[in-house]
Amino acid sequence: MKIRTIDPKNGYLLAEYEEDSREEIFSKIEKSDQAYQEWKKTNFSQRANLLLKVADILIAGKDKFARLMADEMGKPTAQGKAEIEKSAWVCRYYAENAENQLKDLDIKTEKKRSYVSFRPIGPVLAIMPWNFPFWQVFRFAAPYLMAGNTVMLKHAPGTSGCSIHIEKIFKEAGYPGNVFTNILISPENVPARTPEIIHHPLIKGVTLTGSTGAGIKVAEAAGQVLKKSVLELGGSDPYIILEDADIDKAAEACIASRMGNAGQTCIAAKRLIAVDEIYDDFVRACMEEIKKYKPGNPLDDEFNMGPMARKDLRDGLHAQVEKSIGMGAKLLTGGIIPDREGYYYLPTALENVCKGMPAFDEELFGPVAVFIRAKDETDAIHIANDTEFGLGAAVFTADGERGNRIALEELEAGSCAVNEFVKSDPRLPFGGINGSGYGRELGLYGIQEFVNIKTVCIV
């Protein structure tokens, strides 16, 4: 079956790819395991040298890779170049730090020696989304490869061109064959193929970034065969703006978080909760910020917002907006599918949003700012935590101690920010709780997810 990639700025066919058959996929799994038997014997210096070459190739091809993302999922090229730079950063970070992060840990006991060692486990399957088609891949590949595992990528079909180019990057850098493997599966065959791959005895773990629904299916398949999984799922991230916040800076940060990547970001500021005292001023400031976002051709630097990645995603978002309006939400701007080719959606803002509406309960994966009025700090915290998700959250206040207390003790999320928007960083663990998944990527804890934490005692 053919995999078709579509240009979201005009709806035209970009390319067609042959998907891998079941037999071809299983052969790739066996080859990945064979490669693992040798790769695990390499030392950290050897692995680091190759990963640093990957970083260099990324930077050298930054313009080309940004163009590829613009074509396949509509990311403006300026944002695409920034994504490539961040991908190179995570490669360099783990090349420089993995050996120390995975060094043996001596623990004093009555034994002659007792220690913990962090050993690779084998081929790891990664199921990745389209919204950050390079960054999502390198943020798992860099640590898992440095740990001595081999990896297999099942990317979103719509970004198949990106996945093929990423595999070429690892080959160009000099990685042995089948240490990094790309597999192509059509959307029609994903429901059947994915559990088969996870159940294969040579696959030792699976990591997924995607929707909560997809995470449940992957967790179920992994649980059936007792395999480790890491899930980074959706979010409905709350941002609390308190009465003493710098309103202009808060508005700039909140709208930048919400509108970047056409709103197609798991940790975007999805529910903007302002206390009554400053609510009206905050909304006015945000509306001025929203005016700065101009959707258009992602290849033209005149525009800072591209189309949404697919027609079904754009139409689904619009349905959520219209349903929320039908339930009492007030449309402040946007809410329109423009009469033009491509999958564009105008920057949108809603207020009078409350529990029970899609704009409150569900993840709106697009450029829609949602304003919620809270009576006070206590009410704002209650609204923020009234969600099935728990990926990111933020609070804006002039009182640093107050902000830290709320972020640390009150907000229920895997990542919290004070006076800035939530973003991932190679140095810091990243992941969620509740409906946003479990496990961590990045930092020390990310590289230790798919290793055998082995205890050795010598008498």
Side-chain angles (χ1 to χ4, degrees):
M1 188 171 291
K2 298 281 189 180
I3 297 174
R4 294 158 53 91
T5 57
I6 304 297
D7 189 334
K9 66 178 177 289
N10 52 36
Y12 298 165
L13 177 68
L14 281 171
E16 290 185 330
Y17 303 93
E18 288 288 344
E19 75 169 329
D20 293 320
S21 67
R22 183 177 185 274
E23 292 72 23
E24 288 170 329
I25 292 171
F26 278 28
S27 175
K28 287 185 175 184
I29 293 173
E30 292 170 1
K31 291 176 180 177
S32 181
D33 181 69
Q34 292 166 7
Y36 164 68
Q37 302 306 323
E38 297 302 318
W39 180 247
K40 68 180 180 179
K41 299 174 186 176
T42 59
N43 59 43
F44 284 106
S45 178
Q46 292 171 306
R47 298 172 198 166
N49 287 338
L50 291 174
L51 196 55
L52 290 172
K53 290 179 182 178
V54 167
D56 291 341
I57 294 169
L58 283 168
I59 295 301
K62 180 168 57 175
D63 292 349
K64 175 178 67 175
F65 301 138
R67 170 64 188 262
L68 180 58
M69 285 187 277
D71 287 343
E72 286 199 323
M73 53 74 59
K75 191 187 302 288
T77 52
Q79 295 177 30
K81 292 174 186 178
E83 180 171 334
I84 297 301
E85 291 169 356
K86 192 172 183 180
S87 299
W89 179 20
V90 76
C91 291
R92 292 183 176 129
Y93 170 78
Y94 279 110
E96 295 166 359
N97 291 282
E99 182 172 8
N100 184 60
Q101 291 170 327
L102 297 178
K103 67 181 179 182
D104 292 347
L105 177 63
D106 281 284
I107 298 176
K108 189 174 182 179
T109 67
E110 69 277 7
K111 308 289 194 295
K112 181 183 295 183
R113 187 189 179 199
S114 48
Y115 66 99
V116 176
S117 188
F118 303 90
R119 309 299 299 171
I121 59 173
V124 177
L125 172 67
I127 304 170
M128 292 293 112
W130 46 264
N131 59 330
F132 290 92
F134 275 72
W135 165 246
Q136 300 282 10
V137 173
F138 285 95
R139 82 177 188 184
F140 84 77
Y144 298 170
L145 291 171
M146 283 301 300
N149 298 310
T150 54
V151 296
M152 303 193 72
L153 169 65
K154 203 300 289 181
H155 217 323
T159 50
S160 292
C162 290
S163 70
I164 290 169
H165 274 77
I166 290 169
E167 185 178 45
K168 290 178 180 178
I169 289 171
F170 282 100
K171 290 179 179 178
E172 183 181 343
Y175 275 79
N178 306 304
V179 169
F180 181 99
T181 304
N182 181 50
I183 55 178
L184 296 174
I185 306 176
S186 67
E188 294 82 1
N189 284 326
V190 164
R193 292 280 185 269
T194 302
E196 289 181 332
I197 298 171
I198 294 172
H199 289 177
H200 194 290
L202 295 179
I203 292 293
K204 301 304 180 184
V206 56
T207 179
L208 167 106
T209 297
S211 68
T212 300
I216 290 171
K217 293 176 182 177
V218 166
E220 180 181 16
Q224 289 171 346
V225 286
L226 297 177
K227 291 183 181 178
K228 176 71 176 288
S229 59
V230 168
L231 307 177
E232 194 264 274
L233 309 178
S236 184
D237 291 15
Y239 279 42
I240 293 174
I241 301 87
L242 297 173
E243 74 285 346
D244 61 348
D246 184 320
I247 292 176
D248 290 336
K249 288 184 179 179
E252 181 181 11
C254 289
I255 299 305
S257 174
R258 176 66 279 194
M259 297 296 164
N261 206 40
Q264 301 166 121
T265 306
C266 56
I267 50 170
K270 297 193 173 81
R271 291 179 298 140
L272 306 179
I273 306 163
V275 297
D276 184 68
E277 187 175 333
I278 50 87
Y279 175 86
D280 293 330
D281 290 338
F282 174 70
V283 171
R284 277 194 292 269
C286 285
M287 295 305 293
E288 290 301 313
E289 290 294 323
I290 289 173
K291 293 177 183 177
K292 298 177 182 178
Y293 289 85
K294 307 295 184 184
N297 188 338
L299 301 177
D300 187 339
D301 290 339
E302 177 185 350
F303 303 104
N304 56 1
M305 180 182 290
M308 294 185 64
R310 299 198 311 261
K311 182 179 186 297
D312 63 308
L313 298 171
R314 191 269 312 273
D315 293 350
L317 176 71
H318 186 55
Q320 289 175 304
V321 169
E322 290 201 311
K323 184 175 180 180
S324 296
I325 294 171
M327 297 175 71
K330 180 181 178 182
L331 180 67
L332 298 179
T333 190
I336 296 171
I337 296 176
D339 184 17
R340 60 183 296 184
E341 65 179 7
Y343 310 140
Y344 292 92
Y345 198 69
L346 296 185
T348 298
L350 298 172
E351 68 173 350
N352 295 344
V353 171
C354 61
K355 191 171 178 64
M357 299 178 183
F360 187 102
D361 297 340
E362 302 172 9
E363 180 175 38
L364 269 57
F365 213 64
V368 181
V370 173
F371 298 109
I372 301 172
R373 187 190 298 265
K375 290 179 289 187
D376 52 25
E377 175 189 311
T378 301
D379 189 38
I381 292 169
H382 171 75
I383 294 169
N385 290 332
D386 191 10
T387 176
E388 67 173 294
F389 299 105
L391 191 56
V395 57
F396 291 82
T397 172
D399 186 337
E401 291 186 5
R402 182 188 189 190
N404 180 66
R405 173 184 58 79
I406 293 171
L408 178 63
E409 300 177 8
E410 302 289 357
L411 293 176
E412 297 172 3
S415 297
C416 292
V418 179
N419 293 327
E420 70 169 353
F421 61 84
V422 178
K423 61 190 78 171
S424 58
D425 183 317
R427 300 163 295 185
L428 300 172
F430 180 81
I433 60 173
N434 303 327
S436 292
Y438 52 73
R440 291 295 180 265
E441 295 183 296
L442 303 175
L444 169 65
Y445 301 97
I447 197 172
Q448 292 183 353
E449 284 285 5
F450 287 100
V451 293
N452 174 11
I453 303 174
K454 179 182 287 188
T455 297
V456 179
C457 295
I458 303 170
V459 178

